[in-house]
Amino acid sequence: MLRVPLFDCPTFMEIKSAMSISNPTTNDLCSLSASELASGYARRTFSPVEVLDAVFDRVERLNPQLNAFFYLDREGARAAAHASADRWTRGESLGALDGVPVSVKDSVAVAGMPMYRGAAPFRNRKPSTSNSPPAARLFEAGAIVFGKTTMPDLGLLASGVSSAHGITRNPWNLNMNTGGSSSGGAAAVAARLGPLTIGSDLGGSVRLPAAFCGLATLKPTQGRIPHLPPSTMRSAGPIARTVEDVALLMDVLARYDARDCGALGPEDGSYMSARVDDVRGWRVGLLENIGFGPNAHPEIHEAVRRAAECMARAGASVEPAGPLVDSDPGDAFDRIFSARGHHEIARLSDAERNALHPAVLQLAMRAVSMPAESYLAAQDEIEGFKMQVAERTDAFDVVLMPATPVISYPADAAAPDLDDVHQSIVPYTAMFNQTGQPAAVICGGFSQNGLPIGVQIVGRRHQDRRVLSAAAFLENALGVVRNWPF
């Protein structure tokens, strides 16, 4: 029987020996995962204060090139690091995230920190007065929330461009895009500016940047991570360099918060304790034709096929899946997101609207002449598409597919196809925000030009652990070596 533990990684002492970490350098400390940091704190090999100083040192050196952060809370983070160090010294840590530096997306409210949501007209808004559920869980767990990361305007672009923040660049190639909208967070984690970040996903916004930046992530079942304001489509999500760290963060973020009226109730068990004992008998779908939008780059399809072959060799039954839908939902999505965008900017002056990124303003202004009937019809159309997607994926334990249709595109572009800015990047991701299904991304390899390729793993609603287990199995089986940039 094949047994593949979900988190089959070397012990911390093996890592410590390999890195000669008795006198750790900045790069040593910043290269450790969140789980490894907790092990080091417990052994007094280094302290949260040393780790935070190392992270700030790297941010100081690299952020001018990357533009991943727009705000750093140096004073608050250092106070939190000293408090964490004291807890570890007393043997009273709050858990595996205690003292771990975590960054947070611009649109996730943190008390006392600015929240522009990537939009220049919002830069004069006062700092947040309360913590969103994801931020509250981080503080309860002792994590050090040390800065906020960049994002495109209102989260309505799947790109690293922003009227408030400028251009965020991919650490693997500074001329290339990070994807979005959790653009700064993904750039930060790939550049080892902290091991963990919190993003949010409305149509692919944690999965796309994870794919472009060679990272792991999970868009959970809708409602599994409480968030504000409540949404039937948007979910907060963890981004990390390993699936293990994604699971570690899920154990904290998935705790119930009554402020989100759509939050799922408490669940038993831990994401960190999940295991894949034997994938023999699993039914795995291989989706190569989604049924609409641009076809994925051949190198992306090849990476997805390699992942499917790994599961087949381990005894899973791999079968063709898809297409997901019978026709193109792009027009319905455009109408819904145009109305959403216009609602966001309805109270802005003309001057403030003109300060937005042109692609977002163009999307929002399409709604000006949209009849209410057209908007309601779009919602009904999406409901029909959702039934098709749920029905066609329900037969499988997991479905493997591309995360993106392209490997990347220029850093300053709003999308790979400027004639179709809002649909050309999200065909493989957006429908699962509508159905609420969990979807993970791992690095499935690298393109000929040295850029990461993401593989997406989709499961049934409420099967988040199974999705993460499959992600960890593939991360281990594929054995992709990532020589991290910088």
Side-chain angles (χ1 to χ4, degrees):
M1 177 180 290
L2 177 70
R3 298 184 63 84
V4 182
L6 176 57
F7 305 125
D8 184 14
C9 59
T11 67
F12 178 80
M13 293 307 290
E14 290 169 339
I15 293 166
K16 175 183 172 182
S17 175
M19 296 178 63
S20 300
I21 203 167
S22 57
N23 294 297
T25 67
T26 290
N27 284 349
D28 288 338
L29 293 177
C30 291
S31 296
L32 295 176
S33 70
S35 297
E36 292 160 3
L37 289 177
S39 295
Y41 297 156
R43 290 174 171 81
R44 316 281 167 77
T45 309
F46 44 77
S47 77
V49 176
E50 292 174 281
V51 170
L52 181 66
D53 285 344
V55 169
F56 275 147
D57 180 66
R58 278 184 71 83
V59 171
E60 198 73 40
R61 290 190 289 111
L62 298 181
N63 198 54
Q65 300 174 63
L66 297 169
N67 190 32
F69 291 92
F70 74 96
Y71 175 81
L72 295 172
D73 181 15
R74 295 182 183 278
E75 184 177 342
R78 286 209 166 92
H82 282 284
S84 175
D86 289 343
R87 288 192 295 271
W88 281 105
T89 299
R90 297 194 308 269
E92 299 174 357
S93 82
L94 299 176
L97 281 189
D98 200 341
V100 175
V102 184
S103 58
V104 173
K105 186 177 180 178
D106 182 357
S107 59
V108 177
V110 181
M113 295 190 187
M115 188 169 74
Y116 308 146
R117 298 178 61 227
F122 297 165
R123 285 186 296 197
N124 59 358
R125 292 190 171 183
K126 294 181 179 179
S128 302
T129 58
S130 62
N131 290 314
S132 62
R137 301 295 85 77
L138 290 176
F139 286 119
E140 290 166 4
I144 301 173
V145 181
F146 70 96
K148 298 201 77 176
T149 59
T150 58
M151 63 178 285
D153 299 48
L154 311 175
L156 291 176
L157 292 177
S159 176
V161 296
S162 164
S163 65
H165 307 310
I167 300 169
T168 299
R169 298 182 180 276
N170 192 323
W172 295 96
N173 183 330
L174 296 177
N175 294 318
M176 304 307 287
N177 213 290
T178 56
S181 62
S182 303
S183 48
V189 173
R192 291 170 291 155
L193 309 180
L196 302 172
T197 194
I198 305 295
S200 61
D201 194 309
L202 182 64
S205 293
V206 297
R207 288 163 288 161
L208 299 171
F212 285 143
C213 294
L215 304 172
T217 191
L218 174 71
K219 182 208 77 68
T221 295
Q222 191 60 34
R224 178 51 58 206
I225 297 178
H227 195 24
L228 295 176
S231 170
T232 59
M233 296 183 290
R234 186 192 63 253
S235 177
I239 303 175
R241 292 189 293 275
T242 66
V243 177
E244 178 183 16
D245 273 4
V246 170
L248 181 71
L249 195 43
M250 278 296 298
D251 274 345
V252 170
L253 297 180
R255 296 170 187 167
Y256 179 70
D257 192 311
R259 293 178 292 169
D260 181 350
C261 59
L264 300 176
E267 57 180 350
D268 296 328
S270 165
Y271 286 88
M272 286 290 287
S273 64
R275 291 290 186 272
V276 176
D277 290 326
D278 192 343
V279 299
R280 211 169 309 166
W282 279 36
R283 193 175 178 192
V284 176
L286 172 60
L287 190 148
E288 299 188 282
N289 174 18
I290 201 167
F292 64 94
N295 193 29
H297 190 281
E299 289 184 89
I300 297 175
H301 279 304
E302 181 57 31
V304 176
R305 291 186 199 112
R306 283 197 302 270
E309 289 166 3
C310 284
M311 299 204 77
R313 286 195 299 271
S317 172
V318 177
E319 307 167 33
L324 286 182
V325 293
D326 293 331
S327 57
D328 190 345
D331 182 62
F333 274 125
D334 268 348
R335 280 177 278 158
I336 288 172
F337 284 101
S338 292
R340 184 186 184 95
H342 192 268
H343 174 69
E344 294 267 18
I345 69 170
R347 294 178 178 83
L348 298 181
S349 67
D350 288 344
E352 289 173 323
R353 289 184 184 184
N354 289 331
L356 292 166
H357 190 282
V360 170
L361 180 59
Q362 181 185 45
L363 173 71
M365 296 310 291
R366 290 181 198 167
V368 171
S369 58
M370 184 192 304
E373 172 62 25
S374 179
Y375 174 75
L376 294 174
Q379 289 186 313
D380 287 345
E381 290 168 34
I382 293 295
E383 290 301 315
F385 288 125
K386 287 166 61 176
M387 289 194 299
Q388 292 178 15
V389 172
E391 179 183 3
R392 294 174 190 185
T393 57
D394 187 64
F396 302 101
D397 292 294
V398 292
V399 179
L400 305 181
M401 68 182 75
T404 63
V406 298
I407 292 170
S408 190
Y409 55 98
D412 60 353
D417 181 355
L418 297 182
D419 293 326
D420 186 11
V421 168
H422 302 288
Q423 297 302 325
S424 62
I425 192 64
V426 298
Y428 292 96
T429 55
M431 281 307 308
F432 302 113
N433 294 83
Q434 302 299 318
T435 61
Q437 292 172 256
V441 164
I442 61 165
C443 182
F446 285 82
S447 67
Q448 290 182 355
N449 62 2
L451 291 171
I453 295 173
V455 172
Q456 184 174 206
I457 304 135
V458 177
R460 305 184 190 102
R461 277 175 53 82
H462 308 294
Q463 294 293 312
D464 303 62
R465 285 188 178 86
R466 172 152 290 206
V467 169
L468 268 188
S469 295
F473 172 86
L474 289 172
E475 186 178 69
N476 180 60
L478 288 168
V480 175
V481 175
R482 292 168 292 176
N483 296 314
W484 296 102
F486 301 106

